[in-house]
């Protein structure tokens, strides 16, 4: 029996929930989860290592690598095949930004609203 999935901590939900390619009517869609978005943000945008990303999200390094590979495939599929990109879902909770419940950074915690793991 598989071990239950650990809730992934993200600093904030995306400010934009999707992108649509120009010049294509009714494109098919690729769906990036919020936790995949967070891994891309930490590794590619903030230039963190997989180990640093794992520590911030409260998951293992190997899980970060799996999430990263899935996210990169979805992004490249969207770009290469002119698919709309939607960001939604995933197994995550938004960080509270303090040491007890979060990463200690100034995260944008929205109370009970963010994520699907509880606060």
């Amino acid at each position: 029996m598989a071990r239950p999935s650990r809730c992934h901590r993200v600093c904030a939900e995306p400010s934009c929930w999707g992108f649509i390619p120009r010049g294509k009517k009714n494109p098919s869609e690729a769906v990036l989860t919020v936790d995949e978005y967070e891994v891309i943000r930490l590794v590619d945008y903030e230039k963190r290592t997989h180990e640093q990303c794992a520590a911030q999200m409260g998951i293992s390094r190997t899980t970060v690598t799996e999430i990263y590979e899935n996210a990169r495939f979805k992004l490249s599929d969207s770009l290469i095949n002119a698919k709309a990109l939607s960001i939604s879902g995933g197994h995550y909770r938004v960080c509270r930004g303090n040491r007890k419940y979060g990463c200690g950074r100034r995260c944008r915690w929205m109370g009970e609203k963010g994520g699907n793991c509880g606060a």
Side-chain angles (χ1 to χ4, degrees), residues 37-78:
Y37 165 86
E38 181 74 352
V39 169
I40 291 291
R41 185 183 74 79
L42 291 171
V43 174
D44 289 336
Y45 184 73
E46 291 195 1
K47 304 294 185 197
R48 306 251 179 139
T49 66
H50 287 207
E51 193 168 315
Q52 291 168 328
C53 178
Q56 182 160 334
M57 291 182 71
I59 56 179
S60 72
R61 186 200 51 77
T62 55
T63 300
V64 166
T65 300
E66 290 172 15
I67 292 171
Y68 185 66
E69 288 174 359
N70 288 335
R72 297 267 315 244
F73 176 80
K74 290 176 184 181
L75 287 172
S76 63
D77 183 37
S78 177

Side-chain angles (χ1 to χ4, degrees), residues 20-44:
I20 300 172
R22 287 185 179 178
K24 186 162 184 183
K25 293 184 179 191
N26 302 320
S28 55
E29 183 178 64
V31 179
L32 192 69
T33 63
V34 175
D35 40 349
E36 289 171 335
Y37 165 86
E38 181 74 352
V39 169
I40 291 291
R41 185 183 74 79
L42 291 171
V43 174
D44 289 336

Side-chain angles (χ1 to χ4, degrees), residues 12-20 32-34 37 85-88 108:
E13 292 179 314
S15 58
C16 180
W17 293 92
F19 300 90
I20 300 172
L32 192 69
T33 63
V34 175
Y37 165 86
L85 182 66
S86 174
I87 304 170
S88 68
R108 293 176 294 178

